[in-house]
Amino acid sequence: GDQVEQSPSALSLHEGTDSALRCNFTTTMRSVQWFRQNSRGSLISLFYLASGTKENGRLKSAFDSKERRYSTLHIRDAQLEDSGTYFCAAYTGGADRLTFGKGTQLIIQP
Amino acid sequence: ETAVFQTPNYHVTQVGNEVSFNCKQTLGHDTMYWYKQDSKKLLKIMFSYNNKQLIVNETVPRRFSPQSSDKAHLNLRIKSVEPEDSAVYLCASSWGHNYAEQFFGPGTRLTVL
């Protein structure tokens, strides 16, 4: 099975609402990285976590420090520009190769 | 501006032709990567180089060959393109190659007719 599982696969929200995306791993991970891919295809790094939580504006990410088998990305007060595909990735097959989940397509509606 | 730059943005070609994509990073990183993103948006690593040395070479057809002139440049050549090579090719870089945070370029979209 997939080593990096993302949920949900798609999500549609209205502006101003909050949401949470999740990334599950089939084994313990040392770190996780979250990205957003916009309509032009650019993959923008949002967070890199080895443990704990990080926050940047309306975005907050957490990495389970105990079992290290899941991570979450919270979006507060969603805006239209938050639309895109969100990917999480982790080093599953070794320290030198990043494995990506299949992504969550997020659509923010007015 | 410090970032990862890729050229061209788009390329359309015929089956059997040779194509070459360029990637340059000005972040001062020592490791660079090539990823392929297919039509379902699945991202998979193809190659990585650390200080001009090949680190990762996933199961990739032999017609694909990376070319590293220095640690700031990593190009990708496809010798004889096939229809299944149509995809977005993303270049990335990082400092170090073990559990490193990676930064991506804007991608090159290849269409093979």
Side-chain angles (χ1 to χ4, degrees):
Chain A
D2 293 343
Q3 294 176 296
V4 180
E5 297 175 351
Q6 286 190 247
S7 61
S9 57
L11 185 60
S12 182
L13 301 170
H14 287 286
E15 273 187 295
T17 56
D18 301 344
S19 65
L21 311 182
R22 187 171 172 110
C23 186
N24 287 332
F25 311 115
T26 53
T27 185
T28 57
M29 293 300 156
R30 183 161 161 167
S31 62
V32 62
Q33 192 167 357
W34 284 93
F35 299 87
R36 178 174 63 233
Q37 189 167 40
N38 59 24
S39 57
R40 291 185 303 277
S42 294
L43 200 62
I44 300 159
S45 179
L46 301 174
F47 296 105
Y48 175 86
L49 297 105
S51 66
T53 62
K54 284 188 179 179
E55 194 165 355
N56 184 3
R58 295 179 293 100
L59 301 180
K60 181 178 179 179
S61 184
F63 184 30
D64 165 44
S65 300
K66 284 187 179 177
E67 296 190 359
R68 312 183 70 79
R69 295 185 70 166
Y70 73 87
S71 176
T72 54
L73 177 68
H74 295 264
I75 304 173
R76 177 176 52 83
D77 184 25
Q79 301 296 305
L80 295 176
E81 61 264 28
D82 295 331
S83 293
T85 303
Y86 289 76
F87 291 96
C88 66
Y91 286 93
T92 62
D96 55 9
R97 56 203 71 202
L98 204 55
T99 301
F100 281 77
K102 292 181 179 178
T104 294
Q105 186 179 11
L106 180 65
I107 298 171
I108 308 299
Q109 302 178 56
Chain B
E1 182 189 1
T2 55
V4 182
F5 302 94
Q6 291 186 240
T7 56
N9 294 328
Y10 305 92
H11 190 78
V12 181
T13 190
Q14 308 268 5
V15 169
N17 285 349
E18 177 174 315
V19 299
S20 190
F21 304 146
N22 300 316
C23 180
K24 177 182 88 169
Q25 55 93 6
T26 57
L27 296 164
H29 291 162
D30 62 356
T31 305
M32 295 185 71
Y33 311 79
W34 276 106
Y35 287 82
K36 180 180 179 181
Q37 186 172 37
D38 63 21
S39 57
K40 294 181 181 177
K41 292 197 171 182
L42 287 172
L43 272 150
K44 287 193 175 177
I45 189 167
M46 300 173 68
F47 303 101
S48 74
Y49 270 75
N50 174 256
N51 279 318
K52 296 172 57 180
Q53 184 177 3
L54 182 66
I55 301 296
V56 172
N57 183 353
E58 288 295 277
T59 308
V60 175
R62 285 189 175 185
R63 59 182 180 277
F64 287 84
S65 60
Q67 297 164 323
S68 176
S69 56
D70 56 53
K71 66 180 184 179
H73 295 82
L74 183 64
N75 298 333
L76 181 67
R77 186 179 75 166
I78 313 174
K79 218 170 183 180
S80 177
V81 295
E82 302 278 341
E84 61 264 30
D85 298 338
S86 294
V88 176
Y89 292 86
L90 289 152
C91 176
S93 72
S94 66
W95 181 248
H97 59 92
N98 288 328
Y99 303 109
E101 181 178 9
Q102 297 186 23
F103 297 88
F104 283 75
T108 294
R109 181 176 294 277
L110 173 66
T111 302
V112 181
L113 302 175

